Amino acid sequence: MKLAKYQLSSGQHGVARVEGDHLIPLDLSGGQYRSLFEILESDNPYEAADFLSKAEQIPLAQVQLLPPIDQQEVWAAGVTYKRSQQARMEESEAAASCYDRVYASPRPELFFKASPHRVSGHGQPLRIRADSKWNVPEPELTLVLNTHLQLVGFTAGNDMSSRDIEGDNPLYLPQAKCYNQCCGLGPWITLPVGMPPRSEIGIRLVIHRGGKIIYDGRTGVDHMARTFEDLIGWLGRDNSFPTGAFLLTGTGIVPETPFTLHKGDIVEIKIDGIGTLLNPIVQG
Ligand code: DO4
Ligand code: MG
């Protein structure tokens, strides 16, 4: 089952199940569950959504999908794939060994990525910082965690990154990673029962410029050097999440140097079991 947040042209918005090319809105007027977050907090989100389903359908083409987030924090793991370790060592002469060490260390790299207002959903713009000249999208399988850090769903994430800022000095990582419109999430959340086995989850990044595909790369979760449970366990050490969390699990695709995004590019992230997250790129 897939759960989405949507808005109609009238401005009316809601939560819905996604079935093929249409939405089945959920009735949240009863007060038992008032938001997507509260459904994800329930003992059985699948049954809760099934129970709330209205006898009504809206074509997906008639809605604007919203990011499938309420008040959760967004965190990200880094250097969880060999390709990310190699690319980071290449961009950061001064601190190459940091990336080498973290790839092999028991403690993973985890960083705060975004608050909800910095997140864009499917079709909404993602930003290149005005003070950066080398930028890439990072396509990442994203774990949806409830307040007990239980894995209650999956979505696609785009961990937009300014490689020149991070490469200059790793202490600049928060500026390379966290700014307005820095994170894509969507198009919706797939509940765990709807996902393929982990070893079969493929991830694809396609970048369009001027109507042409200028980059097309693939990886799979089977290339990830860590397990979801390991990352969640470290995230939860002496850390509480009273509004739940999203955890991007790191990128296994980094376009070759000197590729950089331009404003006007369209980025598509396709993840098996979820679907396609598409975002146009803007720069201030
Ligand atoms: O070490 C910097 C960030 C790494 C990252 O975002 C990734 O590997 O996906
Ligand atoms: Mg990343």
Side-chain angles (χ1 to χ4, degrees):
M1 182 186 282
K2 297 179 168 111
L3 298 176
K5 288 180 75 172
Y6 68 96
Q7 181 164 318
L8 301 174
S9 54
S10 62
Q12 189 194 330
H13 54 88
V15 178
R17 268 170 50 198
V18 184
E19 294 292 340
D21 60 1
H22 59 268
L23 295 181
I24 300 179
L26 303 188
D27 182 0
L28 303 182
S29 65
Q32 192 182 0
Y33 303 105
R34 289 163 300 176
S35 61
L36 178 54
F37 165 76
E38 289 190 1
I39 294 169
L40 295 170
E41 279 297 293
S42 70
D43 290 343
N44 189 330
Y46 186 101
E47 277 180 11
D50 199 38
F51 169 74
L52 296 167
S53 299
K54 291 187 185 173
E56 194 186 305
Q57 294 189 358
I58 311 174
L60 258 174
Q62 284 177 16
V63 307
Q64 162 75 61
L65 289 170
L66 302 174
I69 188 170
D70 287 311
Q71 291 309 314
Q72 295 94 332
E73 293 180 358
V74 184
W75 286 70
V79 199
T80 51
Y81 290 77
K82 196 79 191 158
R83 174 66 193 126
S84 178
Q85 177 217 17
Q86 288 163 345
R88 253 90 205 180
M89 290 181 72
E90 211 178 281
E91 86 197 1
S92 176
E93 281 168 25
S97 72
C98 290
Y99 299 101
D100 208 17
R101 290 209 315 273
V102 81
Y103 183 73
S105 295
R107 183 189 291 274
E109 178 193 10
L110 292 172
F111 57 92
F112 182 81
K113 172 64 185 171
S115 45
H117 83 275
R118 298 188 174 93
V119 173
S120 299
H122 179 73
Q124 299 176 328
L126 286 172
R127 178 168 294 273
I128 299 173
R129 291 180 62 116
D131 56 2
S132 173
K133 292 193 161 38
W134 188 17
N135 289 269
V136 288
E138 293 189 356
E140 305 191 9
L141 178 68
T142 300
L143 312 180
V144 185
L145 306 172
N146 67 12
T147 56
H148 306 290
L149 291 191
Q150 290 161 331
L151 179 53
V152 292
F154 296 84
T155 191
N158 186 340
D159 173 24
M160 291 283 289
S161 295
S162 298
R163 293 189 71 186
D164 47 355
I165 296 177
E166 182 186 339
D168 191 20
N169 186 326
L171 297 180
Y172 294 151
L173 184 85
Q175 296 174 71
K177 293 288 194 178
C178 184
Y179 53 89
N180 289 338
Q181 299 173 309
C182 66
C183 181
L185 290 178
W188 40 63
I189 291 172
T190 302
L191 299 184
V193 284
M195 288 297 289
R198 291 171 194 203
S199 59
E200 291 171 22
I201 304 175
I203 301 178
R204 184 173 169 203
L205 171 66
V206 181
I207 305 174
H208 304 256
R209 182 173 297 160
K212 293 201 176 87
I213 292 180
I214 54 157
Y215 182 84
D216 191 344
R218 292 169 195 263
T219 188
V221 174
D222 54 339
H223 286 83
M224 200 169 130
R226 298 185 188 262
T227 63
F228 303 153
E229 291 73 19
D230 178 52
L231 294 176
I232 297 167
W234 283 95
L235 183 70
R237 288 195 179 197
D238 289 277
N239 219 350
S240 55
F241 296 86
T243 55
F246 285 74
L247 177 58
L248 284 78
T249 56
T251 188
I253 305 175
V254 184
E256 293 297 334
T257 306
F259 176 90
T260 186
L261 282 174
H262 291 177
K263 67 176 174 188
D265 288 353
I266 306 282
V267 175
E268 282 187 297
I269 293 173
K270 298 169 184 288
I271 303 189
D272 294 332
I274 300 170
T276 300
L277 170 66
L278 176 151
N279 298 97
I281 302 299
V282 296
Q283 185 166 27

